[in-house]
Amino acid sequence: MNFMAQVVWIFPKFDTIYIFYIFLMGVAAFIYVKVMNYLQNKQTSVVNHWVEFQRYAIARKCNQVELNILHSFYDHLSEEEREIYLLPENRNKLKNALYRYFLKSNANTTEKEVNLFDKLFRSGVEFKKEILSLNDLTVGEVAALEADGREELTYVMQKTSDELLLSTKGLSKDLLVPGKEAKLYVFRPSSGGYLLDGKVIKTNESGVVFHFNGKIERKGESHLMLMDKMSITVSPWPPPEEKKDLELDKHKLLLSEENIDKQLEVLKRIAKDQKENNEKKFEIKETAKPFITLSERLSDRGILFTFPTGISSEIWKHQDLWEVSFSFDKGPTFNIRAKMMPTKQKSDIYLLRYVDADETMRKSLYEEIRKRGGVREVLT
C-alpha cells in the first residue's frame, strides 16, 4: 500500500485575525525600541549635563572636596531634577535646590557650603571683591551665622549700612535671642573667608536682624606669599637609587676578532655622523638632579623660582615629584614634596606646588610668612 498516496495535505486556513496580531506585535516592537532609545538618550543627556556642570565648577575654582559635595547633591536628585537643574539657564533653580539640600544635610561644614555658593553663583564682577563693609554684601548672599561654637546656614534678605535682615529658615531657636553675640561668615573666592562681628538685636518668624559693629577679620581660604628671596634646595623625590657596583664577568671581556670588527664598524659610523654635524645623536638627555636657587615668591601653597645657571629648565619633564627644603631665619625648616611645572605668564618662571603639606604644616608656614610681612598670594 502506498502510504503517501493516502496522505491528505491540509493547509492551514489564514484568518484575517492573524494580520491584526502581526500588526500589534509590530507596534509593540516599535514602541519598545522608541522607549529604549528615549531612555538611553535621556540618560546620556543627563550625564553630559553633569560633565558640563563639573567643567563649569572647576572653572569657578571649585576644589576636589567641593566637587565631591556637588556629586553627593547630584546623586540625591531624581532623573527629572538632574535634567532641569544642571542646565546652564537654570542656575537660580540649582541654587535654591542646593540651599534646600544643605539645610537638610549635616554631611558638610557650613563654611564649606558658603564657600561653594560663592564660587558657583557669584558674578564675575563680584568674584574678586574684598569685603570692607556691608556695602560689599549682596541681597540673597548665602552666609553662616556663628554663635555658641556653632555655624548655621542663612542668607541676606535685606541690608542697611550697619544691619542685615537674615533668613531664620534652618536656624536654631537658641540662636534667635536678642542681645546674643554672633558673627557672620561670608566668603569671596579671590580673598577667602571673612567674619563680621556683631549681635542679634531683633527676631521674628521670618527674619533675624544682625547688627554689625564694624569689625571684620579674615578667616579660612586666604593665602599669603613672601616677596623676599629665600634660598631653596630642590631635589628629585624619591632620591635616585645609588648605582650598585657592577660585577664583571672576565669571560665577557675577552676580545675576539669578531668583536673587534663590530667595534670598528661602530667607530666608523660615529666618525661619519660627527663629520656630517649630526651631533644630536650624541647628546645626553637631561636627567633630574638636585639644585639650589632663590625663590621669587614663597607661599603657604607653593613657590615660584627660576633655574640657576647650568641647570636645564627641561628637567621638570623627567621627574614627577620633587622635595623642596628651606629655612626661615630664627624659624623652622620645611621639607615638602611638590609638583614642578612652568607658569603661563613667563617662560623662565616655574612653580613648585606642594602636594603633601597638611593643614598643620600649612598653618605654620602661613604664620612664618605673616610675621615677615607676607602679602596676598599670587602664584601665576
Side-chain angles (χ1 to χ4, degrees), residues 222-228 296-304 328 365-366 368-370 372-380:
S222 58
H223 300 277
L224 296 178
M225 66 180 182
L226 194 63
M227 301 298 290
D228 296 341
E296 296 292 326
R297 302 175 194 166
L298 190 148
S299 157
D300 58 315
R301 293 196 297 177
I303 301 174
L304 290 180
F328 288 95
L365 183 51
Y366 178 95
E368 294 299 325
I369 295 173
R370 186 191 64 78
R372 292 162 175 79
V375 297
R376 190 182 311 148
E377 174 200 81
V378 180
L379 287 180
T380 57

Side-chain angles (χ1 to χ4, degrees), residues 163-203:
E163 290 182 352
L164 298 171
L165 178 63
L166 305 175
S167 170
T168 57
K169 188 175 182 179
L171 292 179
S172 302
K173 290 183 178 180
D174 57 336
L175 294 184
L176 307 179
V177 179
K180 180 178 285 291
E181 300 290 332
K183 293 183 179 181
L184 191 71
Y185 175 80
V186 290
F187 180 80
R188 290 295 179 272
S190 62
S191 53
Y194 298 80
L195 284 174
L196 282 63
D197 202 32
K199 64 181 179 180
V200 174
I201 58 172
K202 295 179 184 177
T203 63

Side-chain angles (χ1 to χ4, degrees), residues 62-306:
C62 291
N63 57 37
Q64 188 58 54
V65 173
E66 291 161 338
L67 290 175
N68 293 342
I69 293 173
L70 288 175
H71 205 282
S72 297
F73 165 71
Y74 168 80
D75 290 339
H76 145 273
L77 297 174
S78 66
E79 289 188 8
E80 291 75 16
E81 289 172 330
R82 292 175 185 177
E83 191 169 8
I84 294 171
Y85 294 147
L86 298 187
L87 292 173
E89 59 267 27
N90 291 334
R91 292 286 185 248
N92 284 334
K93 291 181 180 179
L94 173 65
K95 182 177 181 180
N96 294 334
L98 188 60
Y99 188 82
R100 292 193 299 270
Y101 170 75
F102 283 157
L103 287 181
K104 295 178 181 179
S105 173
N106 296 320
N108 315 297
T109 64
T110 306
E111 288 185 2
K112 285 182 181 177
E113 295 169 352
V114 174
N115 298 356
L116 188 53
F117 269 97
D118 260 271
K119 289 182 178 182
L120 288 178
F121 305 113
R122 186 155 298 281
S123 71
V125 176
E126 298 170 337
F127 209 74
K128 296 183 179 180
K129 280 188 176 180
E130 294 187 23
I131 297 177
L132 304 176
S133 69
L134 294 191
N135 292 331
D136 299 313
L137 301 187
T138 57
V139 173
E141 175 160 351
V142 175
L145 188 65
E146 301 189 2
D148 300 335
R150 306 199 313 273
E151 305 91 26
E152 297 187 0
L153 206 62
T154 184
Y155 67 90
V156 178
M157 300 171 68
Q158 294 180 22
K159 68 172 186 174
T160 66
S161 59
D162 59 357
E163 290 182 352
L164 298 171
L165 178 63
L166 305 175
S167 170
T168 57
K169 188 175 182 179
L171 292 179
S172 302
K173 290 183 178 180
D174 57 336
L175 294 184
L176 307 179
V177 179
K180 180 178 285 291
E181 300 290 332
K183 293 183 179 181
L184 191 71
Y185 175 80
V186 290
F187 180 80
R188 290 295 179 272
S190 62
S191 53
Y194 298 80
L195 284 174
L196 282 63
D197 202 32
K199 64 181 179 180
V200 174
I201 58 172
K202 295 179 184 177
T203 63
N204 57 38
E205 293 182 357
S206 60
V208 53
V209 177
F210 174 81
H211 181 80
F212 173 53
N213 64 18
K215 182 182 177 182
I216 300 177
E217 61 179 289
R218 293 287 185 95
K219 181 180 181 180
E221 291 280 318
S222 58
H223 300 277
L224 296 178
M225 66 180 182
L226 194 63
M227 301 298 290
D228 296 341
K229 294 182 182 296
M230 287 187 59
S231 176
I232 61 172
T233 300
V234 185
S235 306
W237 193 90
E241 294 181 359
E242 294 183 2
K243 291 183 179 180
K244 296 181 180 179
D245 294 332
L246 296 176
E247 295 182 2
L248 299 178
D249 187 340
K250 62 180 180 181
H251 298 291
K252 293 181 180 179
L253 297 179
L254 295 177
L255 296 177
S256 64
E257 291 184 3
E258 182 182 358
N259 289 336
I260 293 174
D261 291 339
K262 288 182 179 179
Q263 291 181 37
L264 287 174
E265 288 177 9
V266 172
L267 290 173
K268 288 177 181 178
R269 190 162 59 249
I270 291 174
K272 181 181 179 182
D273 287 333
Q274 288 178 331
K275 187 175 181 180
E276 294 174 354
N277 295 322
N278 194 1
E279 299 293 340
K280 288 186 177 180
K281 288 189 177 182
F282 309 102
E283 288 181 355
I284 298 176
K285 292 183 178 180
E286 293 292 341
T287 56
K289 52 188 174 183
F291 60 90
I292 299 174
T293 187
L294 295 176
S295 65
E296 296 292 326
R297 302 175 194 166
L298 190 148
S299 157
D300 58 315
R301 293 196 297 177
I303 301 174
L304 290 180
F305 72 97
T306 57

